Amino acid sequence: PHPAWEACANILYSSFTERPKHLDPVQSYSENEYSLIANIYQPPLQYHYFKRPYELVPFAATEVPRPQFFDAKGKRLPDTADAKDVAWSDYVIRIRPGILYQPHPAFAKDVQGRYIYHDIKPGDLAGVHAIGDFKYTGTRELLASDYVHQLKRLAHPRLHSPIMQLMGEYIVGLKELAEELAKAAKGKPNDAFLDLT
């Protein structure tokens, strides 16, 4: 199925065993989805491509974070603390400056700095069938708060996340956030906005 001239090129072809169901990292859980997601979203860390055993290296982060350990009373413990003394750990991840989102109509602003397409009506979409049909696009810098927002989305009651239960055991406050969001969503329409901030 590939052109003959590509036979000697340095190209890897692959195929999907099934169509991806989600490209939302919160809801995705299969290998074929993650092969696409890995090309869309930039995680803070990644594994070094060649090193074995596996080694984490920075990707969007400035460096691989080192944990700070604390006991049950909140007292900082030395880096050499015994695991039985550690009640929780804190990781500070600094994001590399200058990473921009791909240009998209959702980021387009007018000269006053207002978003152009955030308050569109159905009639405004006449003739718009693809992202390229929008006249304006914009971008912005990736922020650490974007990663925090994505973690909070794990707890969203209308997004089924296959890893929420597991991550709730490791991210302090995630289970409580899930309970709070479930209460906030109760009795509201399925498309009602839930403010994760």
Side-chain angles (χ1 to χ4, degrees):
H2 311 294
W5 66 268
E6 292 182 357
C8 296
N10 189 15
I11 299 173
L12 171 66
Y13 292 101
S14 184
S15 62
F16 294 106
T17 54
E18 64 178 304
R19 183 179 178 156
K21 293 178 183 74
H22 295 284
L23 292 181
D24 179 351
V26 166
Q27 299 182 78
S28 180
Y29 56 88
S30 67
E31 169 93 28
N32 69 321
E33 293 167 352
Y34 265 91
S35 62
L36 291 171
I37 288 171
N39 289 288
I40 298 171
Y41 302 101
Q42 186 169 352
L45 306 170
Q46 66 180 355
Y47 288 108
H48 191 288
Y49 190 72
F50 295 111
K51 290 191 178 179
R52 301 294 184 271
Y54 294 111
E55 179 183 325
L56 277 174
V57 294
F59 195 16
T62 58
E63 62 189 0
V64 175
R66 296 179 51 115
Q68 296 179 354
F69 301 117
F70 296 86
D71 66 14
K73 294 180 180 176
K75 179 183 167 205
R76 172 89 192 268
L77 299 172
D79 292 348
T80 57
D82 194 304
K84 68 177 176 41
D85 298 326
V86 177
W88 57 279
S89 55
D90 187 24
Y91 290 83
V92 175
I93 302 173
R94 290 180 172 76
I95 303 302
R96 205 168 17 95
I99 299 172
L100 299 177
Y101 280 93
Q102 179 167 332
H104 192 278
F107 295 126
K109 292 184 178 181
D110 63 19
V111 291
Q112 286 84 31
R114 294 178 302 226
Y115 288 105
I116 296 171
Y117 300 117
H118 281 211
D119 191 27
I120 58 177
K121 312 289 182 278
D124 297 337
L125 296 175
V128 175
H129 305 287
I131 288 178
D133 294 337
F134 286 94
K135 184 175 180 181
Y136 302 104
T137 63
T139 187
R140 73 167 175 81
E141 189 169 17
L142 175 69
L143 304 173
S145 58
D146 295 324
Y147 289 103
V148 172
H149 181 79
Q150 190 66 358
L151 286 171
K152 288 179 177 182
R153 288 184 74 240
L154 293 171
H156 197 293
R158 297 198 180 102
L159 300 175
H160 171 70
S161 175
I163 63 168
M164 170 53 207
Q165 291 304 111
L166 175 67
M167 298 308 287
E169 298 296 321
Y170 294 97
I171 299 175
V172 175
L174 191 61
K175 282 191 224 175
E176 292 79 7
L177 177 62
E179 292 168 6
E180 186 179 327
L181 290 172
K183 286 178 192 171
K186 198 171 189 173
K188 290 186 179 177
N190 281 344
D191 61 351
F193 175 73
L194 289 178
D195 189 354
L196 299 181
T197 59

